[in-house]
Amino acid sequence: MLPSTIRLSPKSHRLHMHRSFTTLNPIPATFLRGGTSKGVFLNRAHLPEDQSQWGPIFLGIMGSPDTANGLQINGMGGGISSLSKICVVGSASAEQKAQGIDAEYTFVQVGIRDTIIDLSGNCGNLSSMIGVFAMDEGFCSRDPSALSGTTTTIRVHNTNTNKTIDTTFPVTFAGGSLQPKLDLPQTTMAGVPGKASQITLEFISPAGARTGKLLPTGKPVDSVNTHDKEIPVSLVDATNPTVFVTYADLCCVLCPSSLVDFSDLNSRELMESIRRAGAIKMGLDPETQAQPKIAVLSPSCNQDHDVGIHAFSMGVLHKAVPMTVGLCLGVAAKVEGTLAWDLTKSMRVGRVEESEFIRIKHPSGIVEVGADFGGDGEVLKAKVVRTGRRIMKGVVWW
């Protein structure tokens, strides 16, 4: 099994490319948008069986490392973390099929300026298109006569987190079989223009995706020491591990009398310092920048949302919110005592029944995420609505 993070030297990259003559070049690929991310989707059967040989192929596809300007100008990447992603999808094993799983996939975050190949976590946005790709590739199918309604649900297994995800989307009968239908004007999502078909994602039993526990330290609030100050944090692991800190506590360290500039080097360095300290407390490798992620929470300023968020991905402020971070926040907001719980108290005041979803305001708009809990406090599922689009199908050189 490939380690969660590997770094290839330019020399090893070149040597491996000479050895990998058995791998197709170009390799069949599909380019898809899922949520606010785009990625290259590959059939597992077209890659070497040995996962340790994947790195050079993925770096070549994405155009990494781009040390000149970070634009990945020589490949399919787009110079930011949400555009430097690959999903490797394959058929479910016989054992998985017996459990109702239709396909399995591995998510890969590809470094931009470096040669890091990160398999430490999952991508919530691109997860929305795994079921679509699995049907397109023939990994699974649905009997039209057994279909009730106009949607189908594909159950997939994510190898990064060892978790199961249900994706539900519209289908249509075409070419003698059911096909995903993605262009219905059903819903909109912040950060993406226009309307598209609704894809509902449900992450089954999402707690402990990396650490094995919803609260890795057993506490809803911890503190980390940085810049000679103790900063309260909530360390939560649901869909992906995340370090949550409040805007107010960040201001106390950076600029008590002014607003925080998230693009400022001092702000980014402080965020990374908090993230690394949180990673250590969670029992994770602080050198793995993709996991845990870190997000700054702020109280609602009007009635159109319940909590605000500024999330960082690979050290850079995300233009929207990584969906696994949004889902993690949706879970955290329902765990008593966390920073998210405290900030969303107002949404629970005066309500006869607790709302299924919370509304998160991010830099590009608002997204609703939900979480269902069992009577014993177990997280049964985390859910969100996304949209997706097929962009290209063909081959890609690496």
Side-chain angles (χ1 to χ4, degrees):
M1 185 70 181
L2 190 65
S4 62
T5 305
I6 61 173
R7 185 190 297 268
L8 300 177
S9 69
K11 182 179 179 181
S12 67
H13 184 182
R14 289 194 301 270
L15 287 173
H16 183 88
M17 288 179 70
H18 286 299
R19 292 192 187 119
S20 298
F21 59 89
T22 56
T23 302
L24 294 173
N25 194 7
I27 187 171
T30 303
F31 195 51
L32 302 172
R33 175 184 68 80
T36 53
S37 292
K38 290 190 291 188
V40 175
F41 284 60
L42 302 173
N43 186 326
R44 175 69 175 81
H46 296 152
L47 292 170
E49 185 175 347
D50 182 359
Q51 290 188 357
S52 67
Q53 296 180 27
W54 288 5
I57 301 169
F58 296 164
L59 292 172
I61 289 173
M62 283 293 154
S64 298
D66 187 346
T67 56
N69 52 34
L71 296 177
Q72 293 173 303
I73 201 71
N74 205 34
M76 295 289 291
I80 56 176
S81 63
S82 58
L83 303 179
S84 189
K85 300 181 174 186
I86 290 175
C87 290
V88 179
V89 189
S91 300
S93 66
E95 181 180 355
Q96 289 173 331
K97 289 178 180 178
Q99 299 169 7
I101 294 173
D102 297 296
E104 78 164 16
Y105 73 103
T106 300
F107 168 69
V108 184
Q109 183 74 58
V110 181
I112 297 171
R113 292 179 178 271
D114 53 44
T115 59
I116 290 178
I117 302 295
D118 197 315
L119 285 82
S120 62
N122 189 19
C123 173
N125 277 302
L126 290 189
S127 293
S128 62
M129 291 296 282
I130 299 297
V132 171
F133 181 77
M135 286 191 74
D136 286 348
E137 291 292 299
F139 297 145
C140 57
S141 60
R142 291 292 183 266
D143 182 357
S145 64
L147 188 68
S148 59
T150 58
T151 64
T152 193
T153 298
I154 303 296
R155 173 161 286 194
V156 300
H157 176 77
N158 174 247
T159 65
N160 307 77
T161 59
N162 197 30
K163 296 293 183 178
T164 301
I165 304 159
D166 287 341
T167 62
T168 302
F169 48 85
V171 289
T172 186
F173 190 74
S177 63
L178 284 177
Q179 302 291 332
K181 179 73 171 173
L182 302 180
D183 57 357
L184 298 176
Q186 291 180 327
T187 190
T188 61
M189 57 172 290
V192 180
K195 290 187 173 184
S197 300
Q198 176 174 308
I199 302 173
T200 302
L201 276 173
E202 295 186 329
F203 289 71
I204 311 302
S205 300
R210 287 292 297 172
T211 66
K213 298 179 180 179
L214 175 62
L215 302 176
T217 66
K219 296 183 288 186
V221 176
D222 286 89
S223 65
V224 297
N225 187 289
T226 183
H227 291 55
D228 296 323
K229 292 189 177 182
E230 292 290 327
I231 301 177
V233 294
S234 283
L235 308 175
V236 185
D237 183 4
T239 68
N240 265 341
T242 305
V243 178
F244 292 109
V245 61
T246 69
Y247 186 88
D249 289 325
L250 208 61
C251 279
C252 289
V253 178
L254 284 171
C255 45
S257 60
S258 61
L259 299 176
V260 174
D261 180 1
F262 289 110
S263 65
D264 179 70
L265 179 60
N266 290 333
S267 298
R268 288 188 282 117
E269 287 181 344
L270 175 60
M271 293 292 289
E272 178 60 11
S273 176
I274 297 171
R275 190 199 69 79
R276 292 173 66 90
I280 293 172
K281 281 184 173 284
M282 297 173 93
L284 300 173
D285 182 1
E287 299 296 331
T288 302
Q289 198 173 38
Q291 301 293 329
K293 286 185 167 48
I294 184 168
V296 183
L297 305 181
S298 53
S300 170
C301 55
N302 56 51
Q303 295 187 350
D304 70 349
H305 65 282
D306 301 307
V307 64
I309 189 169
H310 287 82
F312 282 70
S313 179
M314 307 297 285
V316 179
L317 179 66
H318 200 282
K319 295 182 182 300
V321 59
M323 207 57 259
T324 49
V325 175
L327 288 161
C328 190
L329 175 54
V331 172
K334 294 189 175 184
V335 177
E336 186 171 358
T338 65
L339 298 177
W341 167 275
D342 291 340
L343 286 174
T344 55
K345 278 181 180 177
S346 60
M347 82 176 197
R348 292 184 287 272
V349 175
R351 291 184 180 176
V352 178
E353 294 184 1
E354 187 172 344
S355 174
E356 181 180 8
F357 290 89
I358 71 163
R359 299 162 300 170
I360 302 172
K361 184 177 181 63
H362 55 76
S364 293
I366 294 173
V367 61
E368 292 187 353
V369 297
D372 293 343
F373 284 71
D376 58 356
E378 178 189 0
V379 189
L380 301 179
K381 63 178 67 173
K383 49 194 174 183
V384 68
V385 170
R386 301 279 83 186
T387 66
R389 179 173 179 256
R390 299 180 185 91
I391 298 173
M392 182 280 299
K393 183 177 179 66
V395 297
V396 61
W397 276 261
W398 54 272

